[in-house]
Amino acid sequence: MTAVVPSARAAGATCCGLATSPVTAEDAERLARMFKALGDPVRLRMAAMIAAQPELCVCEITPAFDLSSGTISHHLKTLRDAGLVDSERRGTYVYYWIQPEALGTLSALLAVH
Amino acid sequence: MTAVVPSARAAGATCCGLATSPVTAEDAERLARMFKALGDPVRLRMAAMIAAQPELCVCEITPAFDLSSGTISHHLKTLRDAGLVDSERRGTYVYYWIQPEALGTLSALLAVH
DNA sequence: CGTCTATCTTGACAGATATCGAATCAATGC
DNA sequence: GCATTGATTCGATATCTGTCAAGATAGACG
């Protein structure tokens, strides 16, 4: 509770996509699920790793964390269920990649304008 | 697990700020807390309401939800602790406003480029 | 000061979540 | 077919979270 008055507030301006998008109760459910998926440090780092490559094998994600393979799978499923990534098995390995549209939706929602 | 190959993947390109930002374990903690704060439908709608106004009285937020005032306070505190909003008491009422820089940080992180 | 109103805090609790280890499933290769 | 390796699913558990009801605070105003 600082006493500082942010510029956007002083200017009387609204700040971002959030302000103008129709965030109905249903929209909120779907969007909140995406934000929630990014709302865990492990999943956020996973998403960052995946976003940095065209696609990434689970076998490369697993050793980057000090977690059981079951837990890794669980987190990846959460990201996939939220629509932030998609995956495909190719032979022995499973590959994950980012869904840029989903990230773009969230980015636009938060973008200051 | 669709068989569709997203364009960004086919192009072999990375997709967003997430891909290039140094998301260390500490960064991830702080950023994940912000995403987590938006990861609840009630809080996301609250943030949207607040973002749509220069500032907003709790007395206007409360009646928009079918929740006890205690729960409303709890959610607002979560948003404030994450750095997404700030607040100030002015006489009888408490006003909340958005912290645009925080939203901007998250937006940039997800922005496709 | 006492009371009323708005907001926040506390205590309790049901339901969700992160995690592990074990079991299962999918491909590969012998 | 069987054993091996990579990944997911399942069962159990400890912790976290959203919620309410009740109590505590902060101002406003007689």
Side-chain angles (χ1 to χ4, degrees):
Chain A
M1 297 216 211
T2 69
V4 176
V5 177
S7 56
R9 187 169 151 245
T14 59
C15 86
C16 62
L18 256 189
T20 52
S21 295
V23 179
T24 66
E26 303 110 60
D27 284 343
E29 290 285 346
R30 178 180 124 266
L31 294 168
R33 195 147 58 97
M34 297 193 213
F35 282 124
K36 182 185 279 190
L38 295 174
D40 177 276
V42 170
R43 284 194 299 267
L44 186 58
R45 287 169 59 203
M46 282 180 174
M49 287 181 67
I50 296 170
Q53 306 288 338
E55 62 181 21
L56 194 58
C57 177
V58 173
C59 64
E60 298 206 61
I61 299 173
T62 301
F65 298 89
D66 195 19
L67 295 169
S68 72
S69 65
T71 299
I72 299 287
S73 271
H74 166 69
H75 283 307
L76 288 172
K77 176 172 160 51
T78 299
L79 288 172
R80 200 177 55 223
D81 288 349
L84 298 175
V85 304
D86 200 356
S87 68
E88 179 185 7
R89 173 179 281 272
R90 216 141 59 233
T92 306
Y93 303 106
V94 175
Y95 296 86
Y96 280 75
W97 59 91
I98 280 284
Q99 297 279 48
E101 324 82 51
L103 296 191
T105 297
L106 299 185
S107 177
L109 200 65
L110 301 177
V112 178
H113 56 217
Chain B
M1 296 216 211
T2 68
V4 176
V5 176
S7 56
R9 188 169 152 244
T14 61
C15 84
C16 61
L18 258 188
T20 51
S21 297
V23 180
T24 67
E26 303 112 61
D27 285 342
E29 291 284 346
R30 178 179 124 268
L31 294 168
R33 196 148 59 98
M34 297 194 213
F35 282 124
K36 183 187 277 189
L38 295 174
D40 175 275
V42 170
R43 285 194 298 267
L44 186 57
R45 287 168 59 204
M46 282 179 173
M49 286 181 67
I50 296 170
Q53 306 289 336
E55 63 181 19
L56 194 57
C57 177
V58 174
C59 65
E60 297 207 61
I61 299 173
T62 302
F65 298 89
D66 195 17
L67 294 170
S68 72
S69 67
T71 300
I72 300 287
S73 270
H74 166 68
H75 283 308
L76 288 171
K77 176 171 160 52
T78 299
L79 288 171
R80 199 177 55 222
D81 287 349
L84 299 176
V85 303
D86 200 355
S87 67
E88 179 186 6
R89 172 181 283 272
R90 214 139 62 232
T92 306
Y93 303 106
V94 175
Y95 297 86
Y96 279 76
W97 59 89
I98 279 286
Q99 297 279 51
E101 324 81 52
L103 296 191
T105 297
L106 299 185
S107 178
L109 200 64
L110 301 176
V112 177
H113 57 217

